């Protein structure tokens, strides 16, 4: 395989040229690093699946520079419009019916009649999308099933030699993926908790969000996902000797002094700080080579819903 270029922000035009040429380029967003490809080019999109070793063609999120571009790709009802207005640019993905004149290709949508759209809030992502001048699909830039990358080094650890380039924008700010809301007729539904907390969405909508409904509505939402090599034990009251401890807040669970390694997501109990550190701390504890990572209880409100969702997937039976 060819060498993966590590591009600095000053090389942004080179990253955009590679995308326009159908190559796969990782880039930072405010949530996690994305693995970008031209959403209008089926061959480019397929290269993402090969690089990630994704077993199946899940539908991907198309990233665009602004709401006006998004509205050329999808049909926005009143709820979708309100959410776009309130949260874009930002960590929100809207699943809406595709527009007949939309350019996001069939493979990118996995053949669905809907399209997932997002306007990221990251200066490099915004400039890259404007320079690419077409929608860019981007799943998280990790190998399938692994922990999502929040730094360029994480991307290279998983994908070096398998992708054309990574645009290095330092560490991402939010740390968990975007919240996904479907506005496809009827009440808006929460398909994946993420960077925009549920309560903030419900305030704008003036109603509570429905759940995903029966079946897997976001096909990428497999139970086992975001998995480190170690087993993960959640909501522990006591840490067992030799476990690695992932802590939260000022008061650790009993037995913390017997832990083989320990990291605190947020000493002061701040969920935003915890979200930003979650994936890199999982990687670091995993690197300690322990059998089990024991996770202290984390509240379920605000960003806690997304953090607990990702941890539950990391802990799921594989
Ligand atoms: O924060 C994020 O959203 C990151 C950054 C890179 O933007 N991207 C990301 O993409 O998390 P990915 O591919 O890991 O997750 C996309 C999710 C999957 O669960 C997929 O099933 C769902 O979006 N999805 C995409 N299109 C859909 C559609 N038309 N209907 C329902 N779910 C859809
Ligand atoms: Mg992912």
């Amino acid at each position: 395989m060819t060498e993966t270029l590590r591009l600095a922000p000053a090389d942004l035009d080179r990253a955009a040229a590679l995308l326009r040429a159908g190559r796969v380029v990782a880039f930072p967003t405010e949530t996690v690093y994305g693995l970008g490809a031209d959403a209008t080019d089926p061959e480019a999109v397929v290269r993402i699946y090969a690089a990630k070793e994704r077993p199946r063609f899940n539908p991907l999120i198309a990233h665009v520079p602004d709401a006006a571009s998004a509205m050329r790709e999808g049909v926005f009802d009143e709820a979708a419009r309100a959410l776009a207005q309130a949260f874009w640019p930002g960590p929100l993905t809207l699943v809406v019916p595709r527009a007949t004149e939309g350019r996001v290709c069939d493979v990118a949508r996995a053949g669905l009649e809907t399209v997932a759209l997002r306007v990221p809030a990251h200066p490099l992502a915004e400039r890259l999308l404007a320079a690419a001048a077409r929608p860019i699909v981007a799943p998280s830039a990790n190998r399938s099933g692994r922990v999502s990358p929040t730094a360029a080094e994480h991307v290279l650890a998983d994908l070096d030699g398998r992708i054309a380039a990574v645009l290095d924008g330092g560490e991402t700010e939010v740390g968990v993926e975007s919240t996904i809301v479907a506005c496809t007729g009827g009440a808006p539904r929460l398909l994946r908790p993420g960077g925009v907390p549920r309560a903030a969405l419900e305030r704008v909508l003036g109603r509570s969000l429905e759940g995903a409904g029966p079946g897997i509505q976001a096909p990428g939402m497999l139970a086992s996902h975001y998995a480190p090599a170690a087993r993960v034990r959640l909501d522990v009251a006591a840490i067992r000797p030799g476990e690695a401890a992932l802590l939260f807040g000022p008061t650790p669970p009993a037995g913390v002094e017997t832990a083989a390694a320990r990291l605190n997501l947020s000493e002061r109990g701040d969920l935003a700080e915890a979200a930003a550190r979650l994936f890199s701390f999982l990687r670091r504890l995993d690197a300690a080579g322990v059998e089990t990572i024991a996770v202290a209880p984390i509240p379920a409100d605000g960003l806690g819903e997304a953090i607990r969702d990702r941890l539950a997937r990391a802990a799921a039976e594989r």
Side-chain angles (χ1 to χ4, degrees):
M1 240 304 200
T2 53
E3 204 190 325
T4 297
L5 298 171
R6 188 171 183 151
L7 300 176
D11 302 322
L12 185 130
D13 287 341
R14 184 139 181 225
L18 286 166
L19 285 171
R20 286 198 303 270
R23 310 288 300 279
V24 173
V25 176
F27 65 95
T29 78
E30 78 279 38
T31 58
V32 300
Y33 274 70
L35 197 56
D38 181 347
T40 69
D41 175 356
E43 281 178 42
V45 174
V46 167
R47 284 190 193 111
I48 288 181
Y49 293 96
K52 280 184 72 97
E53 295 178 37
R54 214 179 226 200
R56 274 184 305 217
F57 287 7
N58 289 321
L60 300 173
I61 298 170
H63 297 63
V64 289
D66 48 47
S69 309
M71 287 173 192
R72 285 196 286 275
E73 298 299 326
V75 181
F76 284 59
D77 63 13
E78 203 184 318
R81 247 177 249 273
L83 293 175
Q85 161 100 42
F87 298 106
W88 278 353
L92 173 70
T93 294
L94 292 171
V95 172
V96 297
R98 76 184 182 96
T100 41
E101 69 282 13
R103 294 193 294 164
V104 177
C105 69
D106 271 339
V107 197
R109 291 180 286 100
L112 298 174
E113 285 305 308
T114 53
V115 61
L117 295 163
R118 160 157 143 74
V119 179
H122 187 290
L124 286 183
E126 285 171 40
R127 281 169 50 206
L128 183 66
L129 293 170
R134 68 203 65 192
I136 297 294
V137 279
S140 51
N142 51 278
R143 286 220 204 173
S144 197
R146 303 238 187 121
V147 174
S148 295
T150 55
E153 302 84 74
H154 301 164
V155 176
L156 290 170
D158 272 18
L159 298 171
D160 198 7
R162 307 181 65 89
I163 59 175
V166 54
L167 181 60
D168 189 347
E171 283 184 32
T172 64
E173 206 178 297
V174 177
V176 291
E177 294 83 351
S178 61
T179 303
I180 305 181
V181 175
C183 298
T184 52
R189 288 167 303 136
L190 180 67
L191 301 190
R192 175 176 79 180
V196 178
R198 173 197 290 272
L201 297 161
E202 292 179 340
R203 219 172 297 130
V204 167
L205 291 169
R207 62 186 297 175
S208 50
L209 282 161
E210 307 275 319
I216 303 175
Q217 299 286 326
M221 298 295 285
L222 303 175
S224 166
H225 208 73
Y226 306 100
R231 291 167 44 84
V232 176
R233 214 157 62 77
L234 299 181
D235 291 317
V236 303
I239 289 153
R240 300 173 190 148
E243 287 184 328
L246 187 61
L247 308 172
F248 178 82
T251 319
V256 69
E257 61 290 341
T258 67
R262 72 175 96 160
L263 289 172
N264 197 325
L265 286 169
S266 177
E267 211 61 75
R268 59 176 197 268
D270 176 350
L271 288 165
E273 181 175 49
R277 291 171 165 176
L278 177 66
F279 290 137
S280 72
F281 280 15
L282 281 174
R283 279 179 189 258
R284 280 167 60 184
L285 291 179
D286 216 19
V290 294
E291 237 166 78
T292 307
I293 299 171
V295 185
I298 293 169
D301 60 308
L303 285 173
E305 186 177 4
I307 296 172
R308 293 185 60 86
D309 171 81
R310 303 306 186 274
L311 284 168
R313 285 168 211 284
E317 221 44 72
R318 302 172 201 155

